[in-house]
């Protein structure tokens, strides 16, 4: 996965504003933020999307780092964690990442059921 942009960031070959640099998980600022805080949490190893993720420990670490960077960013009023998977999910970078969004009230994503 030599050309994968998030693999290149993980190897230190492409720039990023890193906020968490762990053994298996990296978090950095999104270059086109959609909210005052917009971070991406990714595995260092190449996993294409949530569809391919089959490692409960890595899954736990990703979610745990998402919570940690949200706390460190001061998002006590709330935040949202999203992952887009594959074509119908609108995924643009084919390396698994969790978006951590906060710092403003986010619009509802799902229709109210009642
Ligand atoms: P997705 O549609 O879930 O695949 O989102 C990909 C996200 O990666 C977008 O929000 C982009 O702004 C972001 N992105 C793409 N390239 C970079 C980069 N080099 N550094 C930081 N964020 C990036
Ligand atoms: Zn990759």
């Amino acid at each position: 996965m030599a050309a994968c942009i998030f693999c290149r960031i993980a190897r230190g070959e492409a720039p990023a504003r890193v906020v968490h640099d762990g053994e298996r998980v990296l978090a950095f600022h999104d270059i086109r933020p959609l909210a005052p805080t917009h971070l991406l949490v990714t595995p260092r190893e190449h996993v294409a999307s949530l569809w391919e993720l089959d490692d409960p420990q890595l899954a736990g670490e990703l979610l745990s780092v998402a919570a940690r960077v949200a706390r460190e960013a001061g998002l006590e009023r709330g935040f949202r964690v999203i992952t887009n998977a594959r074509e119908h999910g609108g995924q643009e970078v084919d390396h698994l990442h969790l978006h951590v969004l906060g710092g403003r009230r986010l619009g509802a994503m799902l229709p109210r059921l009642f």
Side-chain angles (χ1 to χ4, degrees), residues 18-84:
V18 173
V19 295
H20 175 89
D21 192 353
E23 203 174 303
R24 297 194 76 192
V25 175
L26 193 68
F28 49 87
H29 287 268
D30 196 295
I31 37 165
R32 287 187 296 275
L34 298 174
T37 297
H38 187 171
L39 304 170
L40 302 174
V41 179
T42 76
R44 283 187 169 280
E45 67 194 85
H46 187 85
V47 177
S49 78
L50 189 59
W51 178 263
E52 286 79 10
L53 182 62
D54 191 20
D55 180 335
Q57 188 174 336
L58 182 57
E61 283 183 38
L62 288 164
L63 202 55
S64 176
V65 169
R68 185 193 302 190
V69 296
R71 285 192 295 269
E72 287 170 355
L75 302 182
E76 66 281 343
R77 295 186 71 185
F79 61 103
R80 185 173 289 160
V81 176
I82 298 172
T83 191
N84 299 318

Side-chain angles (χ1 to χ4, degrees), residues 79-96:
F79 61 103
R80 185 173 289 160
V81 176
I82 298 172
T83 191
N84 299 318
R86 296 196 158 188
E87 183 189 353
H88 284 189
Q91 185 177 5
E92 287 178 5
V93 173
D94 290 333
H95 179 131
L96 173 62

Side-chain angles (χ1 to χ4, degrees), residues 88-111:
H88 284 189
Q91 185 177 5
E92 287 178 5
V93 173
D94 290 333
H95 179 131
L96 173 62
H97 50 281
L98 305 182
H99 295 258
V100 176
L101 296 149
R104 67 169 168 81
R105 189 174 183 89
L106 301 165
M109 280 189 61
L110 300 173

